Amino acid sequence: MAEDFVRAMGYLTLGTRLKRLGEQMHADVSSVLKAEGADVPASLFPTLGALDRNGPMTVGELAASLGVAQPGVTRNVAALSKAGLVKSTRGLRDQRQTSVELTRKGAALVTRTKQDLWPRIAGAVREMCEGLEGPILEQLA
């Protein structure tokens, strides 16, 4: 079996290891969501959650709220729009600004998952992290 190069390089590839861990967590959560009838990738739920918490937001505001670049938010909004979960409207004064808000379908999905699935997922991650101490590389191992 080939050596896990990224793991073997320690701190040099920490960002790659964290990204890999995040991608695995997204895949696992997406499986849970799909099994529960919420066939939306886990990576899109922060956008839905931000809109639920803050109400309609511009793409720039969403990007700032999520701590990601605008092109990523634009892709997320496009995917959520295609699924009928959000709607986007151009600003009346400034056509460059796009406001995004949840649709009824999107709000219903957030309400349902926020009450049942979000607490279960948060609990599972909390349980996974309990008792961790020491250097981060040891925790990732």
Side-chain angles (χ1 to χ4, degrees):
M1 184 170 168
E3 170 192 50
D4 183 339
F5 174 79
V6 172
R7 183 176 179 178
M9 296 308 295
Y11 287 107
L12 179 65
T13 55
L14 179 60
T16 301
R17 287 184 76 186
L18 292 171
K19 182 176 181 181
R20 192 163 67 178
L21 177 63
E23 289 169 350
Q24 182 60 55
M25 290 176 74
H26 275 161
D28 292 346
V29 170
S30 290
S31 294
V32 170
L33 291 166
K34 186 173 184 174
E36 295 290 332
D39 196 9
V40 176
S43 60
L44 298 178
F45 269 88
T47 302
L48 293 171
L51 292 168
D52 176 65
R53 177 176 284 201
N54 300 310
M57 302 172 78
T58 66
V59 169
E61 291 168 336
L62 264 172
S65 176
L66 299 171
V68 298
Q70 283 189 335
V73 170
T74 300
R75 282 189 298 276
N76 288 353
V77 167
L80 291 167
S81 292
K82 186 175 180 180
L85 301 172
V86 300
K87 68 177 180 177
S88 304
T89 53
R90 294 267 182 203
L92 294 174
R93 290 190 189 146
D94 187 347
Q95 291 287 310
R96 295 170 297 173
Q97 293 225 335
T98 301
S99 180
V100 183
E101 64 183 291
L102 293 172
T103 62
R104 283 188 192 153
K105 180 180 176 183
L109 175 66
V110 171
T111 297
R112 182 170 64 87
T113 57
K114 188 166 60 170
Q115 291 173 355
D116 180 40
L117 293 175
W118 292 12
R120 287 179 25 212
I121 293 166
V125 175
R126 185 174 27 265
E127 183 179 311
M128 184 177 70
C129 294
E130 282 179 0
L132 295 178
E133 56 184 56
I136 190 161
L137 292 179
E138 289 178 19
Q139 302 311 311
L140 290 172

